[in-house]
Every structure is written in C-alpha cells, then in structure tokens.
Amino acid sequence: MLWTVDPASPTPLFEQLATQVRRSIVDRTLVRGEKLPSAKELAASLEINLHTVLRAYQTLRDEGLIELRRGRGAVVIADDPGLVNLHLMADELLAEAGRLGLAHEHVVELLEGRRA
Amino acid sequence: MLWTVDPASPTPLFEQLATQVRRSIVDRTLVRGEKLPSAKELAASLEINLHTVLRAYQTLRDEGLIELRRGRGAVVIADDPGLVNLHLMADELLAEAGRLGLAHEHVVELLEGRRA
DNA sequence: ACCTATTTGTCCGTATGTATG
DNA sequence: CCATACATACGGACAAATAGG
C-alpha cells in the first residue's frame, strides 16, 4: 500500500492516514469496489493502534468515500471523488440556499466572503 | 440539563447524547453563545465515560452546531439552523475543493456557472 | 442449521499533549 | 506557574454483523 505515518508530525495519525487513502482514491490507485486492508492488518503494518486506523476509516466513511461493514471490511465507494463530488456538493449547497429563499448571487457572495 | 442516556438502548450512547443536545438547540433551550457543561462534568453526571461525551461533542462540532476550544469548553454557535447549515455546507464544499487543490476562485466560478 | 473466525462498533480506562484562562 | 478542558493515542473488552466451513 506504501502508506506511512509520522508520529512526530503535528498532524494527527488518523488524519495522516485518511489523507493518504484520499490521495490513493483520487489518483486511481484505489478504485470503486476495491477493498481496503482490514484495520487490524493496517494497524500492524503501520505500527499504530487499531483504533487509530478505525478512526481514519470512519472519517472517510463520513466523507462518503468508503463503506464500512462489520465482518466484511472497508470498500471504496467513491467513483470520481473529484469534480463530480464537488458538483454534487454545490448542488446541495444551492438547493439549501433555495429552501432559505436566498438568491444565487447571495451564495456566490457568501463564498467570496470566505476568501481567507 | 435533564439529559439522560440509556445504556440498554441499541442506539450508541454518544448518539443519544448528541441527539438530545441537538434538540435543546432546536427548541431554544440552548442558544448561541451558551456554554455546555464540560465533558468531564457531563460524563460524571450521566455516569458514562469522558470519551463518550467528547465523541458526542465532536459529532456536534462536525455538524457545525457547537464550537470546541481547548481549555475553554463547548459553546453553541448555531443560531439560525438554516443559515448555519448553509455555512456548514459551504465549509464542506470549500474543504473538498481544497483537497482537490482547487483555488477559492474556482469554486466561486463553479457556482456562478450554475446560475439557472 | 451450526459453529468459528474475522472485522467493524462502541465503550471504558489510562496517559500524554496542547491551548486557554 | 498552574488548573482546566479538549485532542489524540494506546490498550483492553465485549457486542454485532459477516463470511466460510
């Protein structure tokens, strides 16, 4: 899998792992339907705790990238995690704005206002 | 606080707690700026583990309902559920764009391009 | 139909780190 | 400097769902 984590890094281990899995999905190293290593295996491989791997997996599940099933493991469900997902999120954002009666420009302004 | 959890319920303790806090926000029992009890206190009060309370709090933070700060505690930030939710979705959209390496303006353009 | 191993889900406990006041 | 409070990580335990024999 060529995934590694750095205990000395200020970024949490579970976040490091989640980021690497995301990258693997984005660059097609992992594709839809593919199975991830079991948390136990991966934990042993990375020399981190089982729970840390599970937390990374659960984070990815909350993001809609993988599916977790007891006894079955973790499976990639993201098809195109890139622009397709971004457009989906934009859809939802605009739909929500519509429910609130906000005009399209208001949403654009809202995002412009978030330019850090 | 009149919050309770039922260890015998099939729904997880942290989810039970998160749901009750959500209800308190929705029905204005808790309003913006109000401080929630510290995780330690609440855990002792509900006779559950500190981490279980923290997990509930972190879930609510991920939903944009409360803010967590080290040394300070948990504070309600939701005021208008609708608008807050919109900001949550904008957060997620921008975060996703960030993961894809897309600049802020690209997201703005993407939304502008969706003017029906 | 049964049993067993695997795998995730949750909870508890402990320890350490980091930011706040 | 010190107490408080959340953040993360590790470890152990048990439950629940799945898969396979």
Side-chain angles (χ1 to χ4, degrees):
Chain A
M1 279 296 175
L2 50 83
W3 290 333
T4 56
V5 290
D6 174 20
S9 166
T11 68
L13 296 178
F14 82 92
E15 186 57 42
Q16 291 181 47
L17 178 55
T19 296
Q20 300 201 44
V21 176
R22 280 188 213 106
R23 267 205 291 266
S24 294
I25 294 176
V26 167
D27 65 22
R28 304 295 193 190
T29 301
L30 285 176
V31 297
R32 181 184 179 81
E34 199 156 357
K35 191 178 173 303
L36 274 66
S38 81
K40 187 181 175 184
E41 283 175 357
L42 190 49
S45 160
L46 296 176
E47 294 179 318
I48 60 180
N49 192 274
L50 165 69
H51 296 100
T52 304
V53 177
L54 284 176
R55 184 167 180 184
Y57 277 9
Q58 286 164 1
T59 298
L60 296 167
R61 178 199 55 193
D62 292 346
E63 293 172 2
L65 298 183
I66 67 176
E67 186 185 56
L68 297 178
R69 301 280 288 271
R70 286 172 174 158
R72 220 155 77 90
V75 178
V76 177
I77 60 175
D79 172 319
D80 183 326
L83 279 180
V84 169
N85 190 32
L86 201 64
H87 277 271
L88 173 64
M89 294 170 76
D91 280 341
E92 293 169 350
L93 180 68
L94 290 171
E96 179 67 13
R99 279 193 285 275
L100 296 171
L102 294 181
H104 186 281
E105 312 111 67
H106 288 72
V107 184
V108 175
E109 286 169 13
L110 184 149
L111 268 103
E112 282 176 340
R114 287 172 161 271
R115 195 182 311 257
Chain B
M1 281 296 172
L2 50 85
W3 290 332
T4 56
V5 290
D6 174 21
S9 167
T11 69
L13 295 178
F14 82 91
E15 187 57 42
Q16 291 181 46
L17 178 56
T19 297
Q20 301 201 42
V21 177
R22 280 189 213 104
R23 270 206 289 265
S24 294
I25 294 175
V26 167
D27 64 23
R28 303 295 193 193
T29 301
L30 284 176
V31 298
R32 181 184 179 82
E34 200 155 356
K35 191 179 175 301
L36 273 66
S38 80
K40 187 181 175 184
E41 284 175 355
L42 190 50
S45 157
L46 296 176
E47 296 180 317
I48 60 179
N49 193 273
L50 166 69
H51 294 96
T52 304
V53 177
L54 285 175
R55 185 167 180 186
Y57 278 9
Q58 287 165 358
T59 298
L60 295 167
R61 178 200 56 193
D62 292 346
E63 293 172 0
L65 299 184
I66 69 175
E67 186 185 56
L68 296 178
R69 301 282 286 271
R70 286 171 173 156
R72 220 155 68 92
V75 177
V76 176
I77 58 175
D79 71 354
D80 175 35
L83 196 58
V84 167
N85 188 34
L86 198 65
H87 277 271
L88 169 66
M89 295 170 76
D91 280 342
E92 292 171 349
L93 181 68
L94 290 170
E96 176 67 12
R99 275 187 219 110
L100 295 172
L102 294 183
H104 186 281
E105 313 109 69
H106 288 69
V107 184
V108 175
E109 287 169 13
L110 183 147
L111 267 103
E112 283 175 339
R114 288 176 159 267
R115 193 181 311 258

